[in-house]
Amino acid sequence: MAIVINLEEIKKIVADIDVVSAMEEGFVQYSNGNTVVPPVGELLFEEPKGDAHIKYGYIKNDDYYVIKIASGFYDNPKIGLPSSQGLMLLFDQKTGVPKGVLLDEGYLTDIRTAAAGALAAKYFAPKNIKAVGIIGTGIQAKLQLQYLQTHTPCTKVWLWGRNKENVAKFVKELGADFDINIAENPSEVAKNSNLIVTTTPSEIALLKAEDIQQGTHITAVGSDTEHKQELESELLKKASIVIADSIPQSKSRGEIYRAVKDGAITESSVIELGTAIQDPALQRLNDEQITVVDLTGVAVQDIMITKAVYTNYIKE
Amino acid sequence: MAIVINLEEIKKIVADIDVVSAMEEGFVQYSNGNTVVPPVGELLFEEPKGDAHIKYGYIKNDDYYVIKIASGFYDNPKIGLPSSQGLMLLFDQKTGVPKGVLLDEGYLTDIRTAAAGALAAKYFAPKNIKAVGIIGTGIQAKLQLQYLQTHTPCTKVWLWGRNKENVAKFVKELGADFDINIAENPSEVAKNSNLIVTTTPSEIALLKAEDIQQGTHITAVGSDTEHKQELESELLKKASIVIADSIPQSKSRGEIYRAVKDGAITESSVIELGTAIQDPALQRLNDEQITVVDLTGVAVQDIMITKAVYTNYIKE
C-alpha cells in the first residue's frame, strides 16, 4: 500500500535532509551512464492554456523508480492558485509496487534546483566570496540564496530584479538573515559579487561579458528552453570552465545552446557537471578563473530528491 | 488535496456504477476525435525483468485529465505478488490540481476491458444467445462472462482452456451462477455457442473460420501485440462486420493487424467501435451475420473508468 506524504510533511523532511549531497550522487550516476530516463511525456491544454509534463526514470540497480507529474496553468493565479502543480510517485524497482505518493505541488522541483545551485558553488565558486549576486526575485532566487548557505557563510548580497515591488518583497522576506544591497542593473551586481546566480525567464541576455570580473562563478538557472537566455554568449567564451548539468540537453536549450549557436564556444569545450565533480582537474583551479554552470534541470534530480524524502519518511 | 482511494473502496464503487455506459460514452468521444492521447511512455527493467507503461490523456472540454501507470514484473508471483501493479491519477483539467489517486493495482484495467466486451455484445451479439463461449480461464475470462450478464440473461456456457487445473478453478468459482460445459477444444466451443469471447495470450490462432456458425458474434480480447493471435485470419474474412476499438492501433497489433497482413481483409473494411455504436446501419443487421469485435485496449477507457470511480466517490 503506497504511503501518501503531503506538502507539510515534505517540507519538514526536506529541512532535515542533505539535498545537496543527494544531488551530488545523482549527477555522478547520471554522467556515469547509470540512469534510465526516457523522453518526457507532454499533455497540452487549450482552454484554459496549460501543460503537463511527465518525467520518469530510475538509477540502474537501485531500489525505486520515480515518475514526476508537473503542470503549469498560467491562469491559476487569477483564482488564487499557484500556476505550478504536481506530484511525485515512487515505485519499487524490483516489483512495480507503488510505495510513495508525494503531494509536493512542485515544491521538490524548486528545492532540487536550488540544491544543484549549491552543488555548483561547492565545486566552482572561488574560495573567498565577497558577495553573492542574485539576478531575479522569484521563489528560485530566494531558495538559491538560502541553499548557498550550505556552502558559504557569506551573507552579503547584491540583488537585481526587474520588478521593484518584488525586489522589496525579497528584501522584506530575507533581509533579517542577509545584508542585501539593491543594484540598479545586472552590471552593478556583477561589479560587486564573485558568486552570481541568475534565476529569471529572460529572453535577452542580462549579464554581459564585460561586466564580469576575473574569479567570478556564475550559475545560470533561469534558461531551460531554446529561447531563454540570461548570459551573453561572449561571457561563456570568456569563461575558463563551462559546465552543463546535461550535455544532451545543452544541445537544444539553455545558455550553452545559445553560446554554441552564436559561435562563441564549441560543444566539445563543455564538461558535464557529474563528470567534473569526480575530477579535481576539471574543477576551479585558481581564484582568477571565470566559471559558468548552466542548469537546465535533469530527471535524476527528481529521482534523488523523491527517494531522499521517501526513505527519510519511512525511517521515522 | 488529492483524495486517495484504495482497492477495497474502488471495488465497492465499481459494483455500484454502470461501467458499460461509461465505456460507451468514451468510445464515442474517441471515435469522434474528442480525445487527446499522446504516445505511451515506457520504462524497461532488466533485473528482474519488468516493464512499466504510462498512459495519459483527456477528453476535450472535460473536467479532468488522467494518467495511468501499469507495470508487469513477471517474477512477482514467486514472492507472492501479482505481476500486474499500478495506479490511476486524476487531475483537474482546468488547473492541473491533483484530485484523485486510485490505488487500483491494475483492477480498473481488468474491469474496463470486461465492460468493453459487454458493450461489444450489446451492439453485435445476435438477439437469441443459445450459449456463451469462453476461450481462456484467467481473470479476464471470468470478468467477461460476468459483465456479459449486463447484456444477456443466458447462463449456459461452453468453456475451453489449455490448462485443466485452471478450467476446474473457473468452474469452481463461477459454477454456482452459470451452467458451464467444458469443451475438448476451441472448435467445440464454437459449435455450441453464438456469443464467443477469446481471452488468451495465444500466438497461434485458436478459432478457425470453419468452426464458426452463421449468426455468431466473437469478441477478441487477448491479442494486443503484433505477435498474439486468437482468430484465424480467414475467420475475419468470413465475418460480415469487423470492428476495431481503435483503427490506428489495429494497424500495428491485434487480430485485425494479423488478418490484414495475411491479406484476408483490407484496412478499409474495418469500422471503429465508437463510430459503429452511433449508427444502426453499421451494427448487426440480422441473425445470420458473423461479427467480430477486436479489442486492443484504448486509453479513453482508462479515462472514463477513473472519472466514474472518482466522481462516484466524492458524491458519497
Side-chain angles (χ1 to χ4, degrees):
Chain A
M1 178 76 181
I3 286 167
V4 180
I5 313 178
N6 66 34
L7 181 56
E8 200 182 334
E9 294 170 314
I10 290 169
K11 284 184 174 175
K12 267 187 216 156
I13 295 168
V14 164
D16 286 340
I17 59 180
D18 182 355
V19 185
V20 179
S21 293
M23 291 305 109
E24 184 158 358
E25 187 193 331
F27 281 114
V28 167
Q29 294 279 10
Y30 175 71
S31 291
N32 290 354
N34 294 333
T35 59
V36 175
V37 179
V40 173
E42 183 180 64
L43 273 175
L44 300 176
F45 303 92
E46 288 303 323
E47 288 174 39
K49 284 265 179 209
D51 55 62
H53 288 95
I54 307 168
K55 299 182 178 181
Y56 47 104
Y58 62 90
I59 296 168
K60 291 175 194 168
N61 301 312
D62 197 9
D63 294 331
Y64 306 107
Y65 80 85
V66 169
I67 300 177
K68 161 174 154 176
I69 294 111
S71 64
F73 283 80
Y74 301 99
D75 287 345
N76 277 4
K78 291 183 195 166
I79 53 169
L81 282 175
S83 53
S84 294
Q85 297 285 339
L87 54 82
M88 306 283 208
L89 302 168
L90 181 133
F91 299 81
D92 189 311
Q93 193 181 120
K94 306 274 184 279
T95 64
V97 171
K99 304 298 281 185
V101 179
L102 281 62
L103 300 170
D104 76 308
E105 301 175 26
Y107 175 72
L108 292 176
T109 301
D110 289 338
I111 295 295
R112 59 85 156 155
T113 304
L119 179 66
K122 178 176 171 185
Y123 288 99
F124 297 97
K127 228 174 274 150
N128 298 309
I129 293 162
K130 58 182 184 183
V132 174
I134 300 286
I135 307 286
T137 55
I139 292 169
Q140 193 52 226
K142 294 167 198 164
L143 286 173
Q144 287 285 341
L145 180 55
Q146 289 168 323
Y147 267 83
L148 280 177
Q149 298 303 298
T150 63
H151 171 67
T152 172
C154 174
T155 56
K156 189 167 183 184
V157 176
W158 278 85
L159 174 69
W160 179 82
R162 190 182 303 264
N163 179 313
K164 296 303 155 208
E165 267 180 51
N166 291 344
V167 169
K169 215 173 136 195
F170 188 112
V171 173
K172 194 178 164 192
E173 285 178 37
L174 295 183
D177 296 327
F178 297 92
D179 167 21
I180 304 172
N181 302 277
I182 299 167
E184 289 293 312
N185 47 54
S187 168
E188 196 180 355
V189 171
K191 283 193 181 73
N192 290 287
S193 322
N194 58 348
L195 169 55
I196 303 174
V197 186
T198 62
T199 67
T200 78
S202 180
E203 297 193 357
I204 300 156
L206 300 172
L207 285 177
K208 313 287 181 197
E210 63 185 34
D211 296 335
I212 305 301
Q213 302 177 81
Q214 292 302 312
T216 298
H217 171 73
I218 303 160
T219 300
V221 178
S223 176
D224 55 359
T225 70
E226 58 174 320
H227 296 297
K228 294 184 198 164
Q229 180 175 27
E230 300 184 278
L231 312 184
E232 191 183 36
S233 292
E234 283 298 307
L235 197 167
L236 278 77
K237 185 177 178 181
K238 198 175 171 184
S240 307
I241 302 176
V242 176
I243 302 285
D245 56 359
S246 160
I247 295 272
Q249 288 177 197
S250 74
K251 295 184 196 301
S252 61
R253 65 188 93 155
E255 306 299 338
I256 291 168
Y257 163 72
R258 293 293 294 254
V260 169
K261 200 180 162 206
D262 291 346
I265 62 168
T266 60
E267 278 184 7
S268 61
S269 67
V270 177
I271 298 162
E272 203 164 66
L273 182 58
T275 304
I277 63 185
Q278 296 180 75
D279 182 354
L282 301 173
Q283 299 159 18
R284 172 177 288 275
L285 300 176
N286 59 56
D287 279 346
E288 291 305 306
Q289 290 178 308
I290 292 173
T291 55
V292 172
V293 173
D294 185 17
L295 301 177
T296 55
V298 183
V300 76
Q301 297 176 255
D302 302 318
I303 296 168
M304 292 304 299
I305 198 164
T306 302
K307 270 179 58 176
V309 169
Y310 173 78
T311 53
N312 200 277
Y313 184 88
I314 59 170
K315 207 173 61 189
E316 278 174 8
Chain B
M1 179 77 181
I3 286 166
V4 180
I5 312 178
N6 67 34
L7 180 57
E8 199 183 333
E9 294 170 315
I10 289 168
K11 284 183 174 174
K12 267 188 214 155
I13 294 169
V14 165
D16 285 341
I17 59 180
D18 182 353
V19 185
V20 180
S21 293
M23 291 305 110
E24 183 157 0
E25 187 193 331
F27 281 115
V28 167
Q29 294 279 10
Y30 175 70
S31 291
N32 290 355
N34 294 332
T35 58
V36 174
V37 179
V40 173
E42 184 180 62
L43 273 175
L44 300 175
F45 303 92
E46 288 304 322
E47 289 174 41
K49 285 265 181 210
D51 55 62
H53 289 95
I54 307 168
K55 300 183 179 180
Y56 47 104
Y58 62 89
I59 296 168
K60 292 176 193 170
N61 301 311
D62 197 9
D63 293 332
Y64 306 107
Y65 79 86
V66 169
I67 300 176
K68 161 174 153 175
I69 293 111
S71 64
F73 283 80
Y74 302 99
D75 286 345
N76 278 3
K78 290 183 197 167
I79 53 168
L81 282 174
S83 54
S84 294
Q85 297 287 338
L87 53 84
M88 305 282 208
L89 302 168
L90 181 132
F91 299 82
D92 188 312
Q93 192 182 120
K94 306 277 185 279
T95 64
V97 171
K99 304 297 281 184
V101 179
L102 282 60
L103 299 170
D104 78 308
E105 302 175 23
Y107 175 72
L108 291 175
T109 301
D110 289 338
I111 295 296
R112 60 83 156 157
T113 304
L119 179 67
K122 178 174 171 186
Y123 288 100
F124 297 97
K127 229 174 274 151
N128 299 310
I129 294 162
K130 57 182 184 183
V132 175
I134 301 285
I135 308 284
T137 55
I139 292 171
Q140 194 52 225
K142 296 168 197 165
L143 285 173
Q144 287 285 341
L145 179 57
Q146 289 168 321
Y147 267 85
L148 280 177
Q149 299 304 298
T150 63
H151 171 68
T152 172
C154 174
T155 55
K156 189 167 184 186
V157 175
W158 279 85
L159 174 69
W160 180 82
R162 189 184 304 266
N163 181 311
K164 298 300 158 212
E165 269 180 50
N166 292 341
V167 169
K169 214 171 137 196
F170 187 113
V171 172
K172 194 176 166 195
E173 285 177 35
L174 296 182
D177 296 329
F178 297 91
D179 167 20
I180 304 173
N181 302 276
I182 298 168
E184 290 293 312
N185 47 51
S187 169
E188 195 179 356
V189 172
K191 284 196 180 70
N192 291 288
S193 323
N194 58 349
L195 169 55
I196 303 174
V197 186
T198 62
T199 66
T200 77
S202 181
E203 297 193 357
I204 299 155
L206 300 171
L207 286 177
K208 313 285 183 201
E210 64 187 33
D211 297 334
I212 306 301
Q213 301 179 80
Q214 291 303 309
T216 300
H217 171 73
I218 303 160
T219 300
V221 178
S223 175
D224 54 358
T225 69
E226 58 175 321
H227 296 297
K228 294 184 198 165
Q229 180 175 27
E230 299 185 276
L231 312 184
E232 190 183 39
S233 293
E234 283 299 306
L235 198 167
L236 279 76
K237 186 179 179 179
K238 196 176 174 184
S240 307
I241 302 177
V242 176
I243 301 287
D245 56 358
S246 160
I247 296 272
Q249 286 178 197
S250 74
K251 294 183 196 299
S252 62
R253 64 187 93 158
E255 306 298 339
I256 291 169
Y257 162 74
R258 292 293 294 255
V260 169
K261 200 181 160 204
D262 290 346
I265 62 168
T266 60
E267 278 184 8
S268 61
S269 66
V270 178
I271 298 162
E272 202 164 68
L273 183 57
T275 304
I277 63 185
Q278 295 179 74
D279 182 356
L282 300 174
Q283 299 158 20
R284 173 177 288 274
L285 300 174
N286 58 57
D287 280 346
E288 292 304 308
Q289 290 177 307
I290 292 173
T291 54
V292 173
V293 174
D294 185 18
L295 302 177
T296 54
V298 183
V300 75
Q301 296 175 256
D302 301 317
I303 296 169
M304 291 305 298
I305 198 164
T306 303
K307 270 179 59 177
V309 170
Y310 173 79
T311 54
N312 200 277
Y313 184 88
I314 58 169
K315 208 172 62 189
E316 275 171 8

